[in-house]
Amino acid sequence: MPQITTHLNDSSAIPSEKVSGPWRNAWRAFRKNKIAMAGLFMIMFFIVIALLAPLIAPYDYKAQELADRLKPPSAEHWFGTDDLGRDLLSRVLHGTRISLWVGTFSVLGSIILGTLLGILAGFYGKWIDMIISRFFDILLAFPSILLAIAIVAILGPSLQNALYAIAIVNIPTYGRLVRAKVLSLKNEEYISAAQAIGMKNSGILRHHILPNSLTPIIVQGTLGIATAIIEAAALGFLGLGAQPPAPEWGKMLSDSRQFIATAPWTVIFPGVSIMLTVLAFNLMGDGLRDALDPRMKS
């Protein structure tokens, strides 16, 4: 009798390009979105600038040359100079570091605290949910920029306190998002099965609830960095963020607003930098939403 051989364990029978998984499929969908990829490349460009700013900046961003004040863009100063004779290109390059640092770490703080509170509220419910939800409602009752201004006014004007303020005002955004996701997940059959076999709540939260809540957090976090950069620029414009001589884009706009008519380049370059950075994160965030949301797939 001829022998019949099988290759059930032969992984080579499956082409590597056919191997799939939720994150691999999401990356494939993201790569097909040209606009989202453009946003990703723009973000990578700004990250490289932030890392290499001390090396590629032609001048010291703090160096003042009053004899060269308000010079228009030229071969010597590509972006021109400000009212103190400082090279605008050098200040814009170093300002990239500040904006990305504030945007990234303020959102990271919001995500950590918001996710923790959202999971506790959604999973345990009852009085825990009531207290946390009322805390979210109180924060949401104030316009975010006004609440950030109040927090910075109490803590004192500085870049670090502006970061704290932005992180605090955005906690409800991630907390309510995670709470809603947990409420839908905790009634799933696999959660009931985990409870039936005696798995502790901490294990359920760590191994089942949190991993399945990451998708909306990632999307919202990417979009939230753009919002945080705008809020940091707004606080800097009001003099509540980075203090001189730090080259923060919002502060640069504030210092140059009186020269809009006579030296428009002092406003154009910081403003365009804010616009391009925010645009990049919005494009990438929209692409991640389309790639990670099953409802967007055919």
Side-chain angles (χ1 to χ4, degrees):
M1 181 180 295
Q3 295 182 350
I4 301 175
T5 60
T6 59
H7 301 278
L8 295 178
N9 296 324
D10 188 3
S11 59
S12 62
I14 304 176
S16 59
E17 63 271 13
K18 297 297 183 180
V19 177
S20 63
W23 295 106
R24 188 184 296 271
N25 291 337
W27 170 241
R28 289 172 180 166
F30 183 85
R31 284 190 304 176
K32 294 179 181 178
N33 190 329
K34 303 302 182 183
I35 296 178
M37 289 298 295
L40 175 61
F41 287 130
M42 290 171 64
I43 292 172
M44 294 174 62
F45 172 74
F46 282 114
I47 291 175
V48 171
I49 288 179
L51 294 175
L52 301 180
L55 300 177
I56 62 179
Y59 300 93
D60 182 358
Y61 72 88
K62 296 179 291 186
Q64 300 181 15
E65 293 291 342
L66 296 180
D68 295 333
R69 65 188 303 270
L70 297 179
K71 277 194 172 183
S74 62
E76 185 179 3
H77 300 283
W78 289 6
F79 285 8
T81 61
D82 63 9
D83 59 315
L84 296 177
R86 296 173 296 191
D87 182 66
L88 273 180
L89 174 58
S90 301
R91 292 183 63 78
V92 168
L93 293 177
H94 281 86
T96 308
R97 282 186 157 192
I98 296 177
S99 292
L100 292 182
W101 181 76
V102 172
T104 301
F105 284 97
S106 63
V107 168
L108 185 60
S110 299
I111 288 177
I112 293 174
L113 294 175
T115 300
L116 176 61
L117 294 176
I119 286 179
L120 293 176
F123 189 78
Y124 291 102
K126 299 180 180 179
W127 63 271
I128 296 179
D129 184 18
M130 183 187 67
I131 294 176
I132 294 177
S133 296
R134 296 297 78 77
F135 171 69
F136 291 161
D137 292 339
I138 292 173
L139 292 181
L140 291 172
F142 300 92
S144 59
I145 188 63
L146 292 181
L147 182 57
I149 291 173
I151 294 173
V152 175
I154 294 172
L155 299 178
S158 71
L159 182 63
Q160 185 174 359
N161 290 339
L163 187 153
Y164 294 152
I166 295 171
I168 291 172
V169 300
N170 288 310
I171 287 175
T173 301
Y174 301 96
R176 295 180 64 154
L177 183 68
V178 173
R179 175 182 176 274
K181 186 67 175 179
V182 172
L183 287 175
S184 65
L185 288 175
K186 73 176 186 178
N187 295 321
E188 295 289 339
E189 293 183 357
Y190 65 90
I191 300 297
S192 301
Q195 292 173 335
I197 62 175
M199 180 177 288
K200 295 181 179 179
N201 288 338
S202 59
I204 294 175
L205 293 175
R206 186 170 60 253
H207 296 293
H208 298 295
I209 298 294
L210 182 58
N212 287 287
S213 302
L214 288 179
T215 297
I217 296 175
I218 292 173
V219 174
Q220 185 59 44
T222 305
L223 297 172
I225 293 177
T227 303
I229 290 174
I230 293 178
E231 292 173 343
L235 291 174
F237 186 86
L238 296 173
L240 298 174
Q243 300 300 302
E248 198 273 325
W249 291 338
K251 182 61 177 173
M252 293 171 66
L253 289 176
S254 176
D255 294 340
S256 303
R257 65 184 185 276
Q258 57 183 318
F259 306 112
I260 292 179
T262 58
W265 58 88
T266 60
V267 176
I268 290 174
F269 292 112
V272 170
S273 299
I274 295 173
M275 183 270 292
L276 291 178
T277 308
V278 172
L279 176 64
F281 279 102
N282 281 334
L283 293 178
M284 182 177 171
D286 289 340
L288 285 174
R289 180 194 60 200
D290 296 343
L292 294 173
D293 191 347
R295 294 171 296 181
M296 303 296 294
K297 302 176 183 178
S298 58

